[in-house]
Amino acid sequence: MTTLSLDTTRDGELLRLATAGSVDDGKSTLVGRLLYDSKSVLADQLEAVESASRARGYGQADLALLTDGLRAEREQGITIDVAYRYFATGNRRFILADTPGHVQYTRNMVTGASTAHLAVILVDARHGVVTQTRRHTAVAALLRTPHVVLAVNKMDLVGFAEDRFAEIDDEFRRLAGSLGVPDVRSIPLSALRGDNVVDASTEMPWYTGPTFLEHLERVDLDEDLTALPARLPVQYVLPDGSLAGQLVAGQLRLGQQVLVTPGGRPAVVTALQRLGTPIENARAGMSVSVKLDGAGEVGRGDMIVAADRIPTTTRQVTATLCHVAERRLGAGARVLVQHQTRVVEGTVASIVDRLDLATLEHTPNSDPLVVNDIATVVLDLDEPIAADPYRLIRGTGSLLLIDPADGATLSAGLVGPAFR
């Protein structure tokens, strides 16, 4: 048996993953089984779960309670918020977001999967691919999640039948292919029993692939962000005049010709530091400080970019919005638009259409957005931003719409239309 450690400070690659699926497909049970079978549950946590399970009249520990942490969730027996869990193996560290399955909480998957390397989409082996499966797969594709795992759960309830698994796998792969999902791995399992979660199942000898945990440990995370054009949003100006921020894409090196946007002011990189140590080259993901020769005054909200591959600087942005607020958002509304470290005022100029995640059809509709709507909109900005299409660079292709009255987040935005 593979043993996980609760020590999340060790070295090793970090995998961010999000689980999604229909109600009662077993997402919380899968996560609970993963932690339980790998002995990653503290004694007091397990005791609390066993006590709560006995109070419900269960004959064994309900492992879903390990992730359904809110009182309202425990009382209703459903997940209503994104539950985050942190753990590690000897090979990799993990941040797992367990997202709700109900249709009305689709927005929570957008939150949980927005930074994920991998999405786990559960289906009940008895029901196969259903409408909510299509929605969650479409969200994963919309967010450009690099890897998807189809977890075919409750295989024990279909007699561990290979032909049933193959049927579901085939249908899902056709769906994922139509959405442009780049990598799919299908795994048959029973979260309740533990088959193929941490340990290989003796009930399904026909399946010769990795267990769920083995795949999480092995999946390739080498998304080559360094091959993208350099993008460094400026977060702070340090007392010595250095510009600090995280390089979200590409590389910077000493002597490199760059531009500072908006405005396209030319400059040369004269110094790079990471954690106070001089370096000659910075790669995507690093937090660094940079000194420039040229470009004049540079401040928070500006962005240092590769001189030969520049983003589009514009005051009008077509974006796909995932509306997350309970309040409506209509054409003509004034908003704040946060793009990396830059915040500008703007207006929702028009609402073009709605995207039906179940059918992937765009329907012309200019009505105000309501919670969970996904729509194409046009934003008119008071000041320009330098943005890339989300499909090309996730970091500089995403933005937030904020209510200027109280600072509440209204919508998460992806630069460019969806699936077009």
Side-chain angles (χ1 to χ4, degrees), residues 18-22 25 27 97-101 109 119-123 136-137:
T19 62
S22 299
D25 278 351
K27 300 178 301 300
D98 181 28
T99 68
M109 185 192 172
V120 180
I121 297 177
L122 273 77
V123 299
H136 288 147
T137 308

Side-chain angles (χ1 to χ4, degrees), residues 221-360:
L221 298 185
D222 291 335
E223 183 183 7
D224 190 10
L225 297 179
T226 61
L228 298 172
R231 301 288 188 262
L232 176 66
V234 176
Q235 187 168 8
Y236 300 109
V237 178
L238 302 178
D240 68 352
S242 297
L243 308 169
Q246 185 182 56
L247 191 60
V248 299
Q251 301 183 69
L252 287 176
R253 64 184 185 279
L254 291 177
Q256 182 174 346
Q257 298 281 338
V258 295
L259 296 177
V260 176
T261 60
R265 293 161 284 164
V268 177
V269 177
T270 59
L272 285 167
Q273 285 196 355
R274 186 186 187 201
L275 301 175
T277 301
I279 57 176
E280 294 187 358
N281 186 71
R283 304 186 308 277
M286 288 185 177
S287 293
V288 297
S289 64
V290 183
K291 279 192 173 181
L292 300 178
D293 180 20
E297 185 175 346
V298 180
R300 177 181 172 86
D302 289 334
M303 186 158 56
I304 301 168
V305 306
D308 58 341
R309 299 173 68 186
I310 62 175
T312 299
T313 299
T314 181
R315 291 176 184 242
Q316 186 173 84
V317 176
T318 298
T320 300
L321 295 188
C322 304
H323 194 61
V324 300
E326 296 292 343
R327 66 191 73 174
R328 292 171 175 254
L329 180 68
R334 292 290 292 174
V335 294
L336 296 178
V337 176
Q338 179 168 346
H339 176 254
Q340 285 292 329
T341 59
R342 186 172 180 81
V343 179
V344 302
E345 296 183 22
T347 303
V348 179
S350 63
I351 299 173
V352 180
D353 60 31
R354 299 292 201 285
L355 173 64
D356 185 336
L357 289 177
T359 63
L360 303 182

Side-chain angles (χ1 to χ4, degrees), residues 54-374:
R54 287 194 298 271
R56 291 183 173 194
Y58 298 157
Q60 59 184 359
D62 180 3
L63 299 180
L65 297 180
L66 288 171
T67 54
D68 287 343
L70 299 179
R71 175 177 294 180
E73 293 176 334
R74 294 194 298 268
E75 290 176 351
Q76 297 179 55
I78 62 172
T79 301
I80 62 176
D81 201 357
V82 180
Y84 290 93
R85 292 295 178 267
Y86 309 84
F87 59 96
T89 70
N91 299 320
R92 182 165 281 175
R93 296 173 295 131
F94 302 90
I95 298 178
L96 184 149
D98 181 28
T99 68
H102 284 71
V103 173
Q104 63 265 39
Y105 299 124
T106 301
R107 59 178 170 173
N108 296 60
M109 185 192 172
V110 175
T111 301
S114 60
T115 60
H117 303 106
L118 181 148
V120 180
I121 297 177
L122 273 77
V123 299
D124 186 322
R126 297 169 299 176
H127 308 313
V129 174
V130 296
T131 298
Q132 194 68 336
T133 311
R134 296 178 62 85
R135 288 193 184 97
H136 288 147
T137 308
V139 169
L142 182 67
L143 295 173
R144 304 282 167 174
T145 307
H147 306 281
V148 170
V149 170
L150 174 68
V152 183
N153 193 23
K154 304 187 181 184
M155 286 295 297
D156 53 310
L157 300 183
V158 295
F160 301 103
E162 179 180 7
D163 57 350
R164 179 54 179 156
F165 171 73
E167 179 183 4
I168 296 171
D169 174 51
D170 180 67
E171 182 178 358
F172 184 82
R173 287 182 182 277
R174 283 187 275 112
L175 168 64
S178 70
L179 293 169
V181 176
D183 177 61
V184 174
R185 163 68 72 169
S186 300
I187 301 175
L189 52 84
S190 169
L192 185 65
R193 292 167 41 99
D195 295 84
N196 283 340
V197 179
V198 171
D199 300 314
S201 172
T202 59
E203 301 289 347
M204 292 177 278
W206 45 265
Y207 175 73
T208 58
T211 67
F212 180 64
L213 177 59
E214 287 172 345
H215 181 66
L216 296 185
E217 286 190 310
R218 297 174 185 174
V219 67
D220 185 6
L221 298 185
D222 291 335
E223 183 183 7
D224 190 10
L225 297 179
T226 61
L228 298 172
R231 301 288 188 262
L232 176 66
V234 176
Q235 187 168 8
Y236 300 109
V237 178
L238 302 178
D240 68 352
S242 297
L243 308 169
Q246 185 182 56
L247 191 60
V248 299
Q251 301 183 69
L252 287 176
R253 64 184 185 279
L254 291 177
Q256 182 174 346
Q257 298 281 338
V258 295
L259 296 177
V260 176
T261 60
R265 293 161 284 164
V268 177
V269 177
T270 59
L272 285 167
Q273 285 196 355
R274 186 186 187 201
L275 301 175
T277 301
I279 57 176
E280 294 187 358
N281 186 71
R283 304 186 308 277
M286 288 185 177
S287 293
V288 297
S289 64
V290 183
K291 279 192 173 181
L292 300 178
D293 180 20
E297 185 175 346
V298 180
R300 177 181 172 86
D302 289 334
M303 186 158 56
I304 301 168
V305 306
D308 58 341
R309 299 173 68 186
I310 62 175
T312 299
T313 299
T314 181
R315 291 176 184 242
Q316 186 173 84
V317 176
T318 298
T320 300
L321 295 188
C322 304
H323 194 61
V324 300
E326 296 292 343
R327 66 191 73 174
R328 292 171 175 254
L329 180 68
R334 292 290 292 174
V335 294
L336 296 178
V337 176
Q338 179 168 346
H339 176 254
Q340 285 292 329
T341 59
R342 186 172 180 81
V343 179
V344 302
E345 296 183 22
T347 303
V348 179
S350 63
I351 299 173
V352 180
D353 60 31
R354 299 292 201 285
L355 173 64
D356 185 336
L357 289 177
T359 63
L360 303 182
E361 293 181 352
H362 293 263
T363 303
N365 187 328
S366 60
D367 292 341
L369 304 185
V370 298
V371 63
N372 292 321
D373 271 351
I374 294 181

